[in-house]
Amino acid sequence: MFATSVPCIPLKITSSTTGVSKNSSSGTQVDEEGEGAVSDDVKVYPSCDFKYSEYTPCEDPQRSLKFKRDRLIYRERHCPDKTQLLKCRVPAPYGYKKPFKWPKSRDLAWYANVPHKELTVEKAVQNWIRKEGDKFRFPGGGTMFPNGADAYVDDIDKLINLKDGSIRTAIDTGCGVASWGAYLLSRDILAMSFAPRDTHEAQVQFALERGVPALIGVLASKRLPYPSRAFDMAHCSRCLIPWDLYDGAYLMEVDRVLRPGGYWILSGPPIRWRKYFKGWERTRDDLNGEQTRIEEVAKKLCWKKFVEKDDIAIWQKPYNHFQCKEQKKKLMCPAQDYDKAWYTELETCITPLPEVSSDEDVAGGQLEKWPKRLNAIPPRISSGTVKGVTAGSFEKDSQLWQKRVSYYKSVDDKLNQPGRYRNLLDMNANLGGFAASWVDDPVWVMNIVPAEAEVNTLGVIYERGLIGTYQSWCEAMSTYPRTYDLLHADSIFTMYKERCDMEDILLEMDRILRPEGSIIIREDVDILVEVKRIVDGLNWESLIVDHEDGPMEREKLLFAVKTYWTAPANTTTSPRI
């Protein structure tokens, strides 16, 4: 598993030794409940009941019923308290297989991994997803994609340039199975797709199974968990968000996260209502009124109508607020941290852009085009707005992570295998150096800036052309089980030492990691010894190795692999929790 030439601390490595699961895809030895042999002084974490196979703790449908349905508040994050936390390992469905490698995974997924047929029935006419034997196929269809998502993206490209590197980050609200984001990847555009956990089972789960970035999320009463001025492009294709209601609050939130000069794309109701109103089962006056109200909110935001052609309408956010005199007087939000977005209440006001000296300046600074953007000094740093980070320290950090990722690949040769990993998660991303070091590999990285971090660096990460979100690791992540191939945790347990229990963080890591997925943890050696004791109880195969700078460094690395195990063969009913 790991390169033998790397020095390591001689701790006992636990591996499974009992009967082999009949449907093991790898030959890893486990019994039917996923239990292995561990030493007597290690706490063993049992398998959860199969009904928890798709458990998303902070989006639990049962708990959500206790909250208001108005504005979809019940579909927001509502996490269990400490007494309700599961102390068991979430099982994979019987027959679980390694996902197809990218780019094949964009079009195919194993039925056993996401055993839901609902979308194949509910969205059959729209061609989102088809079941073919033991596989799902994603034809790239969608409500507004009659010729497929790829052709739809081509239609957008005819209206705004998607090829010159000026558009790199995008957000897709109400993403379905994220076909729009999937087909943007071939154009070097990273889309953050999100949809609520709702009656259409497993939309986000399907997206991540395909190897496409996605999160469970909803526009309701809280800010989206992204910094201001993050995305070059925002998109809604019949996403059913009432953009014209609540005094335009939802469009104002899109405006907050949209880069100066960025685009908002809307297809579906009410666009082109004269053609579709009968099929949408709505009156002409109703649809005309909705579009009029959207246009009025856009005008308040100082957006200009860029183009409306056929089924697609595009607005553009101004590059600055130099000319928005009326809005400055009446509608601008009061001074605050506009990047703060972890359980932050949504406001009905316009997020002011940084001041400029002329109407030709780009507020907050001009970004380089991709791929130069990745390593250029981000404007937030060059302007001195990120505490303790300079251009020099940014460049040193980039070099440091190139060195570290190179070392990781020398320790674990699987990291050098193209297609072995697809969905990566950096649990404490800082300036995004870990993600930047993988840019030439067929992977994408979800960069997490913990809500408890001393410095909020997520805006820097987006200015580099990378994506990510805020997260407190005292809570569960807004994702389904088994949605990441590799987890990277740099000093997470140091950060949370006085905040929450180590075992709960490790159990959450186990929940979101695929069977046979990998983990890399960087910590002080004393903390890593504690981590390893819990890891042994989780039945991960693990090894502690020296720091890349040698054995004299107190910081060490733990490399681990989650062993393959599934629920027993007789658990065939689809879980509903």
PDB file of all heavy atoms in Angstrom, residues 74-105:
ATOM      1  N   TYR A  74     -37.052  24.565   6.367  1.00  0.00           N
ATOM      2  CA  TYR A  74     -36.912  23.189   6.854  1.00  0.00           C
ATOM      3  C   TYR A  74     -35.861  22.393   6.071  1.00  0.00           C
ATOM      4  O   TYR A  74     -35.379  21.362   6.542  1.00  0.00           O
ATOM      5  CB  TYR A  74     -38.269  22.470   6.826  1.00  0.00           C
ATOM      6  CG  TYR A  74     -38.765  22.026   5.471  1.00  0.00           C
ATOM      7  CD1 TYR A  74     -38.832  20.678   5.128  1.00  0.00           C
ATOM      8  CD2 TYR A  74     -39.198  22.955   4.519  1.00  0.00           C
ATOM      9  CE1 TYR A  74     -39.297  20.263   3.904  1.00  0.00           C
ATOM     10  CE2 TYR A  74     -39.681  22.551   3.292  1.00  0.00           C
ATOM     11  CZ  TYR A  74     -39.729  21.214   2.982  1.00  0.00           C
ATOM     12  OH  TYR A  74     -40.199  20.802   1.753  1.00  0.00           O
ATOM     13  N   ARG A  75     -35.487  22.891   4.887  1.00  0.00           N
ATOM     14  CA  ARG A  75     -34.469  22.189   4.104  1.00  0.00           C
ATOM     15  C   ARG A  75     -33.065  22.754   4.315  1.00  0.00           C
ATOM     16  O   ARG A  75     -32.114  22.307   3.677  1.00  0.00           O
ATOM     17  CB  ARG A  75     -34.829  22.233   2.617  1.00  0.00           C
ATOM     18  CG  ARG A  75     -35.975  21.295   2.284  1.00  0.00           C
ATOM     19  CD  ARG A  75     -36.267  21.282   0.807  1.00  0.00           C
ATOM     20  NE  ARG A  75     -37.354  20.360   0.506  1.00  0.00           N
ATOM     21  CZ  ARG A  75     -38.034  20.369  -0.624  1.00  0.00           C
ATOM     22  NH1 ARG A  75     -37.759  21.273  -1.543  1.00  0.00           N
ATOM     23  NH2 ARG A  75     -39.004  19.501  -0.836  1.00  0.00           N
ATOM     24  N   GLU A  76     -32.918  23.705   5.196  1.00  0.00           N
ATOM     25  CA  GLU A  76     -31.586  24.207   5.541  1.00  0.00           C
ATOM     26  C   GLU A  76     -30.882  23.214   6.469  1.00  0.00           C
ATOM     27  O   GLU A  76     -31.448  22.185   6.846  1.00  0.00           O
ATOM     28  CB  GLU A  76     -31.714  25.578   6.221  1.00  0.00           C
ATOM     29  CG  GLU A  76     -32.199  26.673   5.297  1.00  0.00           C
ATOM     30  CD  GLU A  76     -32.239  28.038   5.963  1.00  0.00           C
ATOM     31  OE1 GLU A  76     -32.659  28.123   7.137  1.00  0.00           O
ATOM     32  OE2 GLU A  76     -31.868  29.013   5.315  1.00  0.00           O
ATOM     33  N   ARG A  77     -29.656  23.562   6.862  1.00  0.00           N
ATOM     34  CA  ARG A  77     -28.917  22.724   7.805  1.00  0.00           C
ATOM     35  C   ARG A  77     -29.565  22.790   9.196  1.00  0.00           C
ATOM     36  O   ARG A  77     -29.749  23.871   9.754  1.00  0.00           O
ATOM     37  CB  ARG A  77     -27.463  23.205   7.923  1.00  0.00           C
ATOM     38  CG  ARG A  77     -26.607  22.877   6.729  1.00  0.00           C
ATOM     39  CD  ARG A  77     -25.223  23.474   6.899  1.00  0.00           C
ATOM     40  NE  ARG A  77     -24.544  22.993   8.091  1.00  0.00           N
ATOM     41  CZ  ARG A  77     -23.805  21.895   8.172  1.00  0.00           C
ATOM     42  NH1 ARG A  77     -23.663  21.138   7.100  1.00  0.00           N
ATOM     43  NH2 ARG A  77     -23.214  21.538   9.285  1.00  0.00           N
ATOM     44  N   HIS A  78     -29.886  21.622   9.735  1.00  0.00           N
ATOM     45  CA  HIS A  78     -30.370  21.509  11.109  1.00  0.00           C
ATOM     46  C   HIS A  78     -29.686  20.277  11.697  1.00  0.00           C
ATOM     47  O   HIS A  78     -30.119  19.145  11.451  1.00  0.00           O
ATOM     48  CB  HIS A  78     -31.897  21.360  11.150  1.00  0.00           C
ATOM     49  CG  HIS A  78     -32.626  22.481  10.484  1.00  0.00           C
ATOM     50  ND1 HIS A  78     -32.637  23.767  10.986  1.00  0.00           N
ATOM     51  CD2 HIS A  78     -33.369  22.520   9.349  1.00  0.00           C
ATOM     52  CE1 HIS A  78     -33.356  24.546  10.196  1.00  0.00           C
ATOM     53  NE2 HIS A  78     -33.815  23.812   9.192  1.00  0.00           N
ATOM     54  N   CYS A  79     -28.626  20.492  12.433  1.00  0.00           N
ATOM     55  CA  CYS A  79     -27.751  19.397  12.864  1.00  0.00           C
ATOM     56  C   CYS A  79     -28.196  18.789  14.180  1.00  0.00           C
ATOM     57  O   CYS A  79     -28.799  19.467  15.025  1.00  0.00           O
ATOM     58  CB  CYS A  79     -26.304  19.903  12.988  1.00  0.00           C
ATOM     59  SG  CYS A  79     -25.607  20.521  11.435  1.00  0.00           S
ATOM     60  N   PRO A  80     -27.896  17.513  14.397  1.00  0.00           N
ATOM     61  CA  PRO A  80     -28.213  16.876  15.683  1.00  0.00           C
ATOM     62  C   PRO A  80     -27.351  17.448  16.802  1.00  0.00           C
ATOM     63  O   PRO A  80     -26.238  17.918  16.550  1.00  0.00           O
ATOM     64  CB  PRO A  80     -27.876  15.400  15.424  1.00  0.00           C
ATOM     65  CG  PRO A  80     -26.855  15.424  14.323  1.00  0.00           C
ATOM     66  CD  PRO A  80     -27.219  16.606  13.460  1.00  0.00           C
ATOM     67  N   ASP A  81     -27.870  17.428  18.022  1.00  0.00           N
ATOM     68  CA  ASP A  81     -27.028  17.853  19.133  1.00  0.00           C
ATOM     69  C   ASP A  81     -26.117  16.700  19.541  1.00  0.00           C
ATOM     70  O   ASP A  81     -26.210  15.581  19.016  1.00  0.00           O
ATOM     71  CB  ASP A  81     -27.863  18.367  20.311  1.00  0.00           C
ATOM     72  CG  ASP A  81     -28.767  17.292  20.913  1.00  0.00           C
ATOM     73  OD1 ASP A  81     -28.355  16.110  20.976  1.00  0.00           O
ATOM     74  OD2 ASP A  81     -29.898  17.629  21.320  1.00  0.00           O
ATOM     75  N   LYS A  82     -25.255  16.967  20.496  1.00  0.00           N
ATOM     76  CA  LYS A  82     -24.208  16.000  20.837  1.00  0.00           C
ATOM     77  C   LYS A  82     -24.786  14.662  21.303  1.00  0.00           C
ATOM     78  O   LYS A  82     -24.206  13.602  21.045  1.00  0.00           O
ATOM     79  CB  LYS A  82     -23.304  16.592  21.909  1.00  0.00           C
ATOM     80  CG  LYS A  82     -22.044  15.804  22.152  1.00  0.00           C
ATOM     81  CD  LYS A  82     -21.006  16.598  22.913  1.00  0.00           C
ATOM     82  CE  LYS A  82     -19.719  15.775  23.049  1.00  0.00           C
ATOM     83  NZ  LYS A  82     -18.625  16.556  23.625  1.00  0.00           N
ATOM     84  N   THR A  83     -25.932  14.704  21.964  1.00  0.00           N
ATOM     85  CA  THR A  83     -26.531  13.463  22.476  1.00  0.00           C
ATOM     86  C   THR A  83     -27.117  12.602  21.365  1.00  0.00           C
ATOM     87  O   THR A  83     -27.421  11.432  21.581  1.00  0.00           O
ATOM     88  CB  THR A  83     -27.642  13.791  23.494  1.00  0.00           C
ATOM     89  OG1 THR A  83     -28.698  14.507  22.827  1.00  0.00           O
ATOM     90  CG2 THR A  83     -27.103  14.645  24.638  1.00  0.00           C
ATOM     91  N   GLN A  84     -27.286  13.175  20.179  1.00  0.00           N
ATOM     92  CA  GLN A  84     -27.904  12.451  19.063  1.00  0.00           C
ATOM     93  C   GLN A  84     -26.892  11.932  18.049  1.00  0.00           C
ATOM     94  O   GLN A  84     -27.279  11.320  17.051  1.00  0.00           O
ATOM     95  CB  GLN A  84     -28.900  13.377  18.345  1.00  0.00           C
ATOM     96  CG  GLN A  84     -30.048  13.861  19.210  1.00  0.00           C
ATOM     97  CD  GLN A  84     -30.872  14.929  18.506  1.00  0.00           C
ATOM     98  OE1 GLN A  84     -30.332  15.915  17.997  1.00  0.00           O
ATOM     99  NE2 GLN A  84     -32.185  14.739  18.454  1.00  0.00           N
ATOM    100  N   LEU A  85     -25.618  12.173  18.285  1.00  0.00           N
ATOM    101  CA  LEU A  85     -24.603  11.772  17.311  1.00  0.00           C
ATOM    102  C   LEU A  85     -24.457  10.254  17.276  1.00  0.00           C
ATOM    103  O   LEU A  85     -24.437   9.589  18.317  1.00  0.00           O
ATOM    104  CB  LEU A  85     -23.255  12.414  17.659  1.00  0.00           C
ATOM    105  CG  LEU A  85     -23.197  13.941  17.603  1.00  0.00           C
ATOM    106  CD1 LEU A  85     -21.816  14.436  18.031  1.00  0.00           C
ATOM    107  CD2 LEU A  85     -23.522  14.445  16.201  1.00  0.00           C
ATOM    108  N   LEU A  86     -24.346   9.727  16.060  1.00  0.00           N
ATOM    109  CA  LEU A  86     -24.123   8.291  15.899  1.00  0.00           C
ATOM    110  C   LEU A  86     -22.673   7.953  16.236  1.00  0.00           C
ATOM    111  O   LEU A  86     -21.757   8.669  15.832  1.00  0.00           O
ATOM    112  CB  LEU A  86     -24.424   7.861  14.471  1.00  0.00           C
ATOM    113  CG  LEU A  86     -25.869   8.010  13.976  1.00  0.00           C
ATOM    114  CD1 LEU A  86     -25.979   7.510  12.539  1.00  0.00           C
ATOM    115  CD2 LEU A  86     -26.838   7.261  14.871  1.00  0.00           C
ATOM    116  N   LYS A  87     -22.476   6.870  16.939  1.00  0.00           N
ATOM    117  CA  LYS A  87     -21.123   6.410  17.273  1.00  0.00           C
ATOM    118  C   LYS A  87     -20.848   5.095  16.551  1.00  0.00           C
ATOM    119  O   LYS A  87     -20.320   4.137  17.115  1.00  0.00           O
ATOM    120  CB  LYS A  87     -20.988   6.222  18.797  1.00  0.00           C
ATOM    121  CG  LYS A  87     -21.270   7.468  19.617  1.00  0.00           C
ATOM    122  CD  LYS A  87     -20.188   8.535  19.423  1.00  0.00           C
ATOM    123  CE  LYS A  87     -20.451   9.727  20.328  1.00  0.00           C
ATOM    124  NZ  LYS A  87     -19.395  10.771  20.213  1.00  0.00           N
ATOM    125  N   CYS A  88     -21.252   5.060  15.295  1.00  0.00           N
ATOM    126  CA  CYS A  88     -21.087   3.845  14.501  1.00  0.00           C
ATOM    127  C   CYS A  88     -20.683   4.232  13.087  1.00  0.00           C
ATOM    128  O   CYS A  88     -20.731   5.397  12.703  1.00  0.00           O
ATOM    129  CB  CYS A  88     -22.388   3.041  14.488  1.00  0.00           C
ATOM    130  SG  CYS A  88     -23.838   4.005  13.995  1.00  0.00           S
ATOM    131  N   ARG A  89     -20.289   3.242  12.302  1.00  0.00           N
ATOM    132  CA  ARG A  89     -19.790   3.472  10.944  1.00  0.00           C
ATOM    133  C   ARG A  89     -20.909   3.222   9.935  1.00  0.00           C
ATOM    134  O   ARG A  89     -21.533   2.173   9.938  1.00  0.00           O
ATOM    135  CB  ARG A  89     -18.608   2.551  10.668  1.00  0.00           C
ATOM    136  CG  ARG A  89     -17.397   2.831  11.552  1.00  0.00           C
ATOM    137  CD  ARG A  89     -16.293   1.806  11.341  1.00  0.00           C
ATOM    138  NE  ARG A  89     -16.713   0.486  11.789  1.00  0.00           N
ATOM    139  CZ  ARG A  89     -16.445  -0.642  11.154  1.00  0.00           C
ATOM    140  NH1 ARG A  89     -15.787  -0.611   9.996  1.00  0.00           N
ATOM    141  NH2 ARG A  89     -16.855  -1.795  11.623  1.00  0.00           N
ATOM    142  N   VAL A  90     -21.139   4.222   9.082  1.00  0.00           N
ATOM    143  CA  VAL A  90     -22.226   4.144   8.103  1.00  0.00           C
ATOM    144  C   VAL A  90     -21.874   3.104   7.035  1.00  0.00           C
ATOM    145  O   VAL A  90     -20.817   3.195   6.392  1.00  0.00           O
ATOM    146  CB  VAL A  90     -22.463   5.524   7.467  1.00  0.00           C
ATOM    147  CG1 VAL A  90     -23.462   5.421   6.313  1.00  0.00           C
ATOM    148  CG2 VAL A  90     -22.951   6.518   8.521  1.00  0.00           C
ATOM    149  N   PRO A  91     -22.740   2.115   6.805  1.00  0.00           N
ATOM    150  CA  PRO A  91     -22.413   1.050   5.846  1.00  0.00           C
ATOM    151  C   PRO A  91     -22.669   1.455   4.401  1.00  0.00           C
ATOM    152  O   PRO A  91     -23.570   2.238   4.109  1.00  0.00           O
ATOM    153  CB  PRO A  91     -23.347  -0.086   6.259  1.00  0.00           C
ATOM    154  CG  PRO A  91     -24.555   0.627   6.807  1.00  0.00           C
ATOM    155  CD  PRO A  91     -24.023   1.876   7.489  1.00  0.00           C
ATOM    156  N   ALA A  92     -21.870   0.906   3.515  1.00  0.00           N
ATOM    157  CA  ALA A  92     -22.149   1.016   2.084  1.00  0.00           C
ATOM    158  C   ALA A  92     -23.200  -0.031   1.714  1.00  0.00           C
ATOM    159  O   ALA A  92     -23.311  -1.068   2.376  1.00  0.00           O
ATOM    160  CB  ALA A  92     -20.879   0.785   1.277  1.00  0.00           C
ATOM    161  N   PRO A  93     -23.984   0.212   0.656  1.00  0.00           N
ATOM    162  CA  PRO A  93     -24.961  -0.802   0.225  1.00  0.00           C
ATOM    163  C   PRO A  93     -24.248  -2.085  -0.221  1.00  0.00           C
ATOM    164  O   PRO A  93     -23.115  -2.040  -0.713  1.00  0.00           O
ATOM    165  CB  PRO A  93     -25.660  -0.137  -0.966  1.00  0.00           C
ATOM    166  CG  PRO A  93     -25.318   1.311  -0.886  1.00  0.00           C
ATOM    167  CD  PRO A  93     -23.999   1.399  -0.202  1.00  0.00           C
ATOM    168  N   TYR A  94     -24.919  -3.202  -0.027  1.00  0.00           N
ATOM    169  CA  TYR A  94     -24.370  -4.473  -0.498  1.00  0.00           C
ATOM    170  C   TYR A  94     -24.138  -4.393  -2.016  1.00  0.00           C
ATOM    171  O   TYR A  94     -24.977  -3.904  -2.760  1.00  0.00           O
ATOM    172  CB  TYR A  94     -25.332  -5.621  -0.191  1.00  0.00           C
ATOM    173  CG  TYR A  94     -24.815  -6.966  -0.653  1.00  0.00           C
ATOM    174  CD1 TYR A  94     -23.841  -7.636   0.066  1.00  0.00           C
ATOM    175  CD2 TYR A  94     -25.302  -7.538  -1.827  1.00  0.00           C
ATOM    176  CE1 TYR A  94     -23.354  -8.862  -0.363  1.00  0.00           C
ATOM    177  CE2 TYR A  94     -24.823  -8.767  -2.266  1.00  0.00           C
ATOM    178  CZ  TYR A  94     -23.845  -9.424  -1.534  1.00  0.00           C
ATOM    179  OH  TYR A  94     -23.355 -10.623  -1.966  1.00  0.00           O
ATOM    180  N   GLY A  95     -22.980  -4.846  -2.472  1.00  0.00           N
ATOM    181  CA  GLY A  95     -22.655  -4.804  -3.897  1.00  0.00           C
ATOM    182  C   GLY A  95     -21.942  -3.542  -4.336  1.00  0.00           C
ATOM    183  O   GLY A  95     -21.671  -3.366  -5.525  1.00  0.00           O
ATOM    184  N   TYR A  96     -21.632  -2.655  -3.377  1.00  0.00           N
ATOM    185  CA  TYR A  96     -20.958  -1.399  -3.714  1.00  0.00           C
ATOM    186  C   TYR A  96     -19.676  -1.670  -4.505  1.00  0.00           C
ATOM    187  O   TYR A  96     -18.911  -2.576  -4.180  1.00  0.00           O
ATOM    188  CB  TYR A  96     -20.630  -0.628  -2.429  1.00  0.00           C
ATOM    189  CG  TYR A  96     -19.966   0.711  -2.669  1.00  0.00           C
ATOM    190  CD1 TYR A  96     -20.719   1.864  -2.794  1.00  0.00           C
ATOM    191  CD2 TYR A  96     -18.583   0.819  -2.789  1.00  0.00           C
ATOM    192  CE1 TYR A  96     -20.117   3.096  -3.034  1.00  0.00           C
ATOM    193  CE2 TYR A  96     -17.966   2.040  -3.026  1.00  0.00           C
ATOM    194  CZ  TYR A  96     -18.741   3.170  -3.145  1.00  0.00           C
ATOM    195  OH  TYR A  96     -18.138   4.378  -3.383  1.00  0.00           O
ATOM    196  N   LYS A  97     -19.451  -0.848  -5.545  1.00  0.00           N
ATOM    197  CA  LYS A  97     -18.259  -0.996  -6.380  1.00  0.00           C
ATOM    198  C   LYS A  97     -17.518   0.329  -6.490  1.00  0.00           C
ATOM    199  O   LYS A  97     -18.119   1.399  -6.319  1.00  0.00           O
ATOM    200  CB  LYS A  97     -18.636  -1.459  -7.797  1.00  0.00           C
ATOM    201  CG  LYS A  97     -19.347  -2.788  -7.867  1.00  0.00           C
ATOM    202  CD  LYS A  97     -19.680  -3.126  -9.327  1.00  0.00           C
ATOM    203  CE  LYS A  97     -20.440  -4.429  -9.427  1.00  0.00           C
ATOM    204  NZ  LYS A  97     -20.760  -4.772 -10.845  1.00  0.00           N
ATOM    205  N   LYS A  98     -16.252   0.252  -6.807  1.00  0.00           N
ATOM    206  CA  LYS A  98     -15.518   1.479  -7.100  1.00  0.00           C
ATOM    207  C   LYS A  98     -16.196   2.208  -8.254  1.00  0.00           C
ATOM    208  O   LYS A  98     -16.561   1.596  -9.258  1.00  0.00           O
ATOM    209  CB  LYS A  98     -14.069   1.160  -7.512  1.00  0.00           C
ATOM    210  CG  LYS A  98     -13.163   0.729  -6.386  1.00  0.00           C
ATOM    211  CD  LYS A  98     -11.759   0.503  -6.926  1.00  0.00           C
ATOM    212  CE  LYS A  98     -10.826  -0.003  -5.833  1.00  0.00           C
ATOM    213  NZ  LYS A  98      -9.473  -0.282  -6.380  1.00  0.00           N
ATOM    214  N   PRO A  99     -16.370   3.532  -8.149  1.00  0.00           N
ATOM    215  CA  PRO A  99     -16.971   4.282  -9.265  1.00  0.00           C
ATOM    216  C   PRO A  99     -16.120   4.168 -10.528  1.00  0.00           C
ATOM    217  O   PRO A  99     -14.911   3.879 -10.464  1.00  0.00           O
ATOM    218  CB  PRO A  99     -16.984   5.726  -8.754  1.00  0.00           C
ATOM    219  CG  PRO A  99     -16.916   5.618  -7.270  1.00  0.00           C
ATOM    220  CD  PRO A  99     -16.090   4.399  -6.993  1.00  0.00           C
ATOM    221  N   PHE A 100     -16.741   4.383 -11.661  1.00  0.00           N
ATOM    222  CA  PHE A 100     -16.005   4.432 -12.915  1.00  0.00           C
ATOM    223  C   PHE A 100     -14.993   5.571 -12.863  1.00  0.00           C
ATOM    224  O   PHE A 100     -15.202   6.583 -12.195  1.00  0.00           O
ATOM    225  CB  PHE A 100     -16.959   4.658 -14.090  1.00  0.00           C
ATOM    226  CG  PHE A 100     -17.881   3.505 -14.346  1.00  0.00           C
ATOM    227  CD1 PHE A 100     -19.176   3.498 -13.834  1.00  0.00           C
ATOM    228  CD2 PHE A 100     -17.459   2.420 -15.093  1.00  0.00           C
ATOM    229  CE1 PHE A 100     -20.034   2.432 -14.066  1.00  0.00           C
ATOM    230  CE2 PHE A 100     -18.306   1.341 -15.329  1.00  0.00           C
ATOM    231  CZ  PHE A 100     -19.598   1.351 -14.809  1.00  0.00           C
ATOM    232  N   LYS A 101     -13.894   5.425 -13.566  1.00  0.00           N
ATOM    233  CA  LYS A 101     -12.880   6.480 -13.603  1.00  0.00           C
ATOM    234  C   LYS A 101     -13.360   7.639 -14.479  1.00  0.00           C
ATOM    235  O   LYS A 101     -14.100   7.452 -15.434  1.00  0.00           O
ATOM    236  CB  LYS A 101     -11.556   5.926 -14.169  1.00  0.00           C
ATOM    237  CG  LYS A 101     -10.840   4.958 -13.228  1.00  0.00           C
ATOM    238  CD  LYS A 101      -9.506   4.516 -13.818  1.00  0.00           C
ATOM    239  CE  LYS A 101      -8.772   3.572 -12.861  1.00  0.00           C
ATOM    240  NZ  LYS A 101      -7.461   3.154 -13.423  1.00  0.00           N
ATOM    241  N   TRP A 102     -12.929   8.825 -14.111  1.00  0.00           N
ATOM    242  CA  TRP A 102     -13.206  10.007 -14.921  1.00  0.00           C
ATOM    243  C   TRP A 102     -12.401   9.932 -16.221  1.00  0.00           C
ATOM    244  O   TRP A 102     -11.259   9.491 -16.194  1.00  0.00           O
ATOM    245  CB  TRP A 102     -12.810  11.275 -14.137  1.00  0.00           C
ATOM    246  CG  TRP A 102     -13.139  12.545 -14.865  1.00  0.00           C
ATOM    247  CD1 TRP A 102     -12.291  13.270 -15.645  1.00  0.00           C
ATOM    248  CD2 TRP A 102     -14.395  13.206 -14.905  1.00  0.00           C
ATOM    249  NE1 TRP A 102     -12.952  14.354 -16.175  1.00  0.00           N
ATOM    250  CE2 TRP A 102     -14.248  14.326 -15.745  1.00  0.00           C
ATOM    251  CE3 TRP A 102     -15.638  12.957 -14.334  1.00  0.00           C
ATOM    252  CZ2 TRP A 102     -15.304  15.206 -15.990  1.00  0.00           C
ATOM    253  CZ3 TRP A 102     -16.680  13.818 -14.590  1.00  0.00           C
ATOM    254  CH2 TRP A 102     -16.498  14.933 -15.410  1.00  0.00           C
ATOM    255  N   PRO A 103     -12.951  10.268 -17.385  1.00  0.00           N
ATOM    256  CA  PRO A 103     -14.252  10.926 -17.590  1.00  0.00           C
ATOM    257  C   PRO A 103     -15.428   9.974 -17.807  1.00  0.00           C
ATOM    258  O   PRO A 103     -16.543  10.423 -18.013  1.00  0.00           O
ATOM    259  CB  PRO A 103     -13.993  11.763 -18.843  1.00  0.00           C
ATOM    260  CG  PRO A 103     -13.009  10.959 -19.633  1.00  0.00           C
ATOM    261  CD  PRO A 103     -12.117  10.287 -18.610  1.00  0.00           C
ATOM    262  N   LYS A 104     -15.164   8.649 -17.756  1.00  0.00           N
ATOM    263  CA  LYS A 104     -16.262   7.699 -17.962  1.00  0.00           C
ATOM    264  C   LYS A 104     -17.350   7.881 -16.913  1.00  0.00           C
ATOM    265  O   LYS A 104     -18.543   7.697 -17.202  1.00  0.00           O
ATOM    266  CB  LYS A 104     -15.704   6.267 -17.920  1.00  0.00           C
ATOM    267  CG  LYS A 104     -16.649   5.214 -18.446  1.00  0.00           C
ATOM    268  CD  LYS A 104     -15.959   3.856 -18.496  1.00  0.00           C
ATOM    269  CE  LYS A 104     -16.890   2.783 -19.065  1.00  0.00           C
ATOM    270  NZ  LYS A 104     -16.219   1.455 -19.096  1.00  0.00           N
ATOM    271  N   SER A 105     -16.951   8.278 -15.706  1.00  0.00           N
ATOM    272  CA  SER A 105     -17.925   8.423 -14.614  1.00  0.00           C
ATOM    273  C   SER A 105     -18.922   9.547 -14.875  1.00  0.00           C
ATOM    274  O   SER A 105     -19.999   9.570 -14.267  1.00  0.00           O
ATOM    275  CB  SER A 105     -17.196   8.669 -13.291  1.00  0.00           C
ATOM    276  OG  SER A 105     -16.532   9.928 -13.294  1.00  0.00           O
TER     277      SER A 105
END
